């Protein structure tokens, strides 16, 4: 499944669109960036509340397929601007982390 | 130039998680016992007990006003001030914006302002353990605008440590220094987070109970115990030095 398909199925909003044809391999849900650095896998959809600038750097380092901000979190223009220039995809859902993770799990593993 | 000990992260009874015995008077007594020349009072998102500590201490030890602020990202930073009014201005701004969640003393403990005579002046209603809904960069900038100094508290620790929460140091010139948690060996912290090798490191007690004051400390080589000298020591100006003391071996 591609990022674009997940965007459509989970009704996500694309705040910064990188490679939407990338394959989604799995998911990781964490607000601790040190934990994401240690445990997220390349190709994961990273579900988080964090919207600090370092999210872009960590997403890029870990080569996640996309970041999904939950509960309608509003990132700064600086963060989305940086994501665009780094080719990092930032998506947003108005749903909670629990709901987004549950629906993504169903899509990928169900 | 003098070599002296500083403990720049001490809680009082205004922090719900600190002991009721942490009155301003007791903090001063214990700081003297521990041979500290400079301390900072740093309650969670609050500062109101600092002026009483300073009043009681009368320069022995010198007292910086401070707060342990928690940002929207749930990063904890120390904000240190020489000027009490600046610190109390920030305290009021932060309190106004804290979520409307009250502190239930049964669950969290008491949050009380206590004067120099050990009298309770007032209880603080809102839960001070909630994060301030300001991005980290906004908190840092506001402290700087008020002529205070900020550094990440227990930078290595989960929860609240900058590196644990944000994974990497943010871009830019902040922070100018970082505080290690009491128990981590400096070599261990630097090996886990190599970017710490670039920063002057402090260590403090993060005391919540009287006997914890001074259990770990920073060593300063400065002309006098003050915030300006501390900052000069962090920059290594004019032979001034700042060094984290040894890690604490007990009481984790």
């Amino acid at each position: 499944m591609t990022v674009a398909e997940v965007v459509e199925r989970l009704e996500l909003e694309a705040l910064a669109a990188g490679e939407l044809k990338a394959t989604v391999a799995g998911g990781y849900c964490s607000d601790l960036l040190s934990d994401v650095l240690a445990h997220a896998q390349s190709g994961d959809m990273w579900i988080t509340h964090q919207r600090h600038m370092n999210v872009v750097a960590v997403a890029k380092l870990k080569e996640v397929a996309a970041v999904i901000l939950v509960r309608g979190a509003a990132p700064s223009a600086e963060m989305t601007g940086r994501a665009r220039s780094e080719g990092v995809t930032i998506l947003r859902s108005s749903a909670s982390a629990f709901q987004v993770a549950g629906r993504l799990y169903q899509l990928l593993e169900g | 130039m003098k070599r002296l000990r500083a403990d720049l992260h001490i809680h009082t009874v205004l922090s719900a998680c600190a002991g009721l015995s942490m009155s301003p008077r007791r903090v001063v007594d214990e700081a003297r016992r521990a041979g500290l020349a400079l301390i900072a009072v740093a309650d969670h998102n609050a500062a109101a007990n600092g002026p009483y500590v300073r009043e009681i201490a009368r320069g022995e030890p010198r007292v910086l006003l401070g707060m342990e602020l928690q940002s929207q990202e749930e990063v904890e930073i120390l904000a240190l001030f020489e000027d009490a009014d600046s610190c109390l201005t920030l305290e009021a701004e932060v309190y106004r914006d804290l979520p409307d969640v009250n502190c239930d003393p049964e669950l969290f403990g008491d949050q009380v302002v206590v004067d120099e005579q050990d009298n309770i002046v007032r209880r603080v209603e809102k839960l001070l353990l909630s994060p301030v809904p300001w991005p980290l960069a906004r908190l840092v900038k506001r402290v700087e605008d008020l002529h205070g100094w900020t550094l990440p508290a227990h930078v290595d620790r989960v929860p609240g440590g900058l590196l644990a929460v944000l994974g990497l140091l943010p871009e830019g010139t902040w922070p100018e220094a970082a505080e290690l948690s009491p128990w981590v060996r400096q070599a261990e912290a630097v090996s886990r987070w190599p970017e710490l090798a670039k920063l002057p490191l402090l260590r403090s007690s993060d005391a919540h109970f009287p006997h914890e004051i001074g259990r770990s400390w920073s060593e300063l080589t400065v002309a006098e115990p003050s915030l300006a000298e501390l900052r000069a020591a962090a920059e290594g100006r004019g032979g001034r030095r700042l060094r984290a003391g040894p890690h604490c071996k007990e009481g984790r």
Side-chain angles (χ1 to χ4, degrees), chain B residues 5-62:
Chain B
R5 281 188 187 184
D7 182 353
L8 300 171
H9 186 164
I10 298 175
H11 290 267
T12 75
V13 66
L14 184 50
S15 294
C17 43
L20 261 179
S21 50
M22 288 293 262
S23 69
R25 183 162 295 282
R26 187 70 186 274
V27 166
V28 171
D29 288 346
E30 297 292 333
R32 288 175 180 163
R33 167 199 47 84
L36 300 167
L38 180 67
I39 64 171
V41 178
D43 283 306
H44 293 288
N45 297 327
N49 277 340
Y52 296 112
V53 176
R54 179 180 271 181
E55 169 68 25
I56 295 162
R58 295 187 183 278
E60 291 178 25
R62 285 287 310 275

Side-chain angles (χ1 to χ4, degrees), chain A residues 33-34 50-52 54 82, chain B residues 72-73 164-166 168 171:
Chain A
L33 275 60
S34 59
Q50 283 288 5
R51 49 208 152 110
H52 187 272
N54 280 16
R82 173 64 67 84
Chain B
Q72 181 181 73
E73 298 87 347
V165 178
L166 292 184
L168 313 158
E171 279 185 358

